[in-house]
Amino acid sequence: MMSTTTLTGAATTLDEEIVPLSPPVEVFSGRAAALQVTDQLHRGEQIVGRFERSGLAGFKVAARGRRLRVKVSLAVDATSMPGWHLPDAQGRAATRPRLIQVRSQGRLRQCVLLKGGNGIRSAQAAFDLLPEEVPDDGLVCVEVLDIAEGGGVDAGVRAAVADAIMECGTAGLRIDGVAFEEGRDDGEPGGGETLDGARCEILSLISSGGLANPNRRGPRTVRTGMFVVNPVPPGMFGSGGRLTIRLGSRADTTLRPATARDRALMRRAVRRAGGEARRLRHAAREVLCSAAPSVTGVMSVQDGALPMPTRITTGNTLELDLPAPVTSPVLVFVDPGECALPTLVSATWTP
């Protein structure tokens, strides 16, 4: 397909003057006059638009020489595949996760991991622009790129995720809204605060596959074998300091036990009558799949492999202690173990 780059603005004195957005403000439609530049973005009515492939949206914003906080709402849905993306040779593209860079003014800010499959998965990216990063014309660009594209991403990271993620993960990606607020340097939450997995994802600190229901609370199931820890702006949970991330595990009911002995135990339980069979089957699976997950690697998206952080295992819980990222998102690779799924339980932040 041909490029869909468009540019609108005051080309002559007869054109209507475009009033810049005045923070705090949020844009929910692709018809907003302040949306001045689009590249590979099909504008929407109820959403800002849908990307054909990696591209950008540029907004005219009155930053007034202050730090500007930008919050970008992204999502995939049932129409993110048909007409936008062709499945790979094995037909598995729709089930693979998307690993997406969110950039602005030419710099990588955060990464978003969105699960494949059916249903809606949404995520937020949040970052600050310093006064000198916003030009005099007020043009603020929000770019989305597949992890395999653009400069500044370590080659080892791309190799490590190549077989696990969707190719051209930005195809069909929705940009639902973009909020602009005045940034701040202080007002950080108190040390020792703990948030559950869902809340960490809502705040864009940890991206583990996106949220189907943003109102849900509690642990997050990590089905992709990895999650992203993002640098976040000052004043937000996780901005600098250290993070203690707790990972748990739960039985994967979609898998059969791995060994002949395990399968025999299940068959014996099934032969029992009624509710007792269900109870024993559940109990057997919980025993067989109760080990804590293990972390197999940690990589900076920009700099590559990092030293393994401190890990403490208690029962089926693994505590991972690592410095909060400052400039580059960090990928954490998780091995769930046999017939189990890792879960993101919570994170504690110590400034």
Side-chain angles (χ1 to χ4, degrees):
M1 293 186 182
M2 296 182 63
S3 172
T4 57
T5 303
T6 61
L7 176 64
T8 58
T12 73
T13 56
L14 299 179
D15 290 325
E16 180 182 357
E17 182 180 359
I18 303 300
V19 178
L21 298 170
S22 181
V25 64
E26 189 163 3
V27 180
F28 290 108
S29 171
R31 305 304 173 188
L35 178 55
Q36 290 282 280
V37 182
T38 64
D39 182 16
Q40 305 297 341
L41 180 75
H42 294 250
R43 295 174 184 245
E45 296 285 350
Q46 305 299 320
I47 61 174
V48 174
R50 194 184 292 271
F51 286 100
E52 181 179 318
R53 55 177 65 91
S54 295
L56 64 82
F59 302 85
K60 187 172 183 179
V61 184
R64 303 185 184 90
R66 300 175 182 175
R67 181 190 291 259
L68 184 67
R69 180 152 301 173
V70 184
K71 297 180 179 178
V72 185
S73 298
L74 301 170
V76 293
D77 58 18
T79 61
S80 292
M81 288 294 297
W84 300 91
H85 200 290
L86 295 176
D88 61 14
Q90 292 76 35
R92 295 193 303 259
T95 64
R96 292 179 177 176
R98 301 165 182 249
L99 184 54
I100 298 159
Q101 306 173 62
V102 180
R103 299 190 177 209
S104 183
Q105 314 304 76
R107 281 186 49 207
L108 173 63
R109 307 293 173 163
Q110 291 192 339
C111 284
V112 169
L113 186 67
L114 290 167
K115 283 171 48 180
N118 297 323
I120 297 177
R121 294 289 184 273
S122 60
Q124 176 179 264
F127 53 88
D128 278 6
L129 298 178
L130 298 176
E132 56 268 26
E133 293 184 289
V134 181
D136 292 340
D137 62 6
L139 184 64
V140 173
C141 291
V142 175
E143 305 167 77
V144 297
L145 277 74
D146 183 83
I147 195 66
E149 298 177 312
V153 176
D154 181 76
V157 169
R158 287 175 168 160
V161 301
D163 294 332
I165 62 171
M166 182 188 297
E167 184 180 358
C168 192
T170 52
L173 178 71
R174 281 181 6 198
I175 178 168
D176 289 353
V178 181
F180 301 96
E181 305 170 358
E182 184 177 329
R184 57 189 185 276
D185 294 301
D186 52 10
E188 296 182 351
E193 185 178 356
T194 297
L195 296 181
D196 63 30
R199 189 65 180 162
C200 289
E201 186 124 23
I202 290 171
L203 294 178
S204 81
L205 172 64
I206 298 176
S207 186
S208 61
L211 292 168
N213 180 2
N215 296 318
R216 189 172 181 179
R217 295 292 184 266
R220 297 279 298 119
T221 302
V222 182
R223 294 181 179 271
T224 58
M226 69 184 94
F227 60 87
V228 182
V229 185
N230 277 312
V232 296
M236 290 182 64
F237 179 92
S239 56
R242 300 196 69 82
L243 292 166
T244 301
I245 299 174
R246 293 173 185 83
L247 303 174
S249 65
R250 69 174 183 82
D252 185 357
T253 57
T254 65
L255 299 177
R256 291 175 60 85
T259 67
R261 177 178 177 276
D262 297 339
R263 290 193 292 271
L265 287 172
M266 289 300 170
R267 286 195 297 269
R268 194 177 308 157
V270 169
R271 286 194 294 267
R272 296 176 183 268
E276 182 67 11
R278 290 190 296 271
R279 187 188 70 79
L280 289 176
R281 186 166 64 249
H282 178 75
R285 186 173 290 278
E286 288 295 322
V287 170
L288 294 168
C289 306
S290 60
S294 59
V295 171
T296 58
V298 179
M299 302 184 80
S300 164
V301 171
Q302 291 182 334
D303 303 321
L306 298 174
M308 286 294 287
T310 302
R311 304 174 304 286
I312 300 174
T313 300
T314 305
N316 72 334
T317 301
L318 172 71
E319 288 193 353
L320 185 70
D321 179 78
L322 73 165
V326 177
T327 57
S328 171
V330 170
L331 273 173
V332 179
F333 297 90
V334 184
D335 181 5
E338 209 169 80
C339 66
L341 286 171
T343 59
L344 172 63
V345 178
S346 65
T348 299
W349 173 50
T350 306

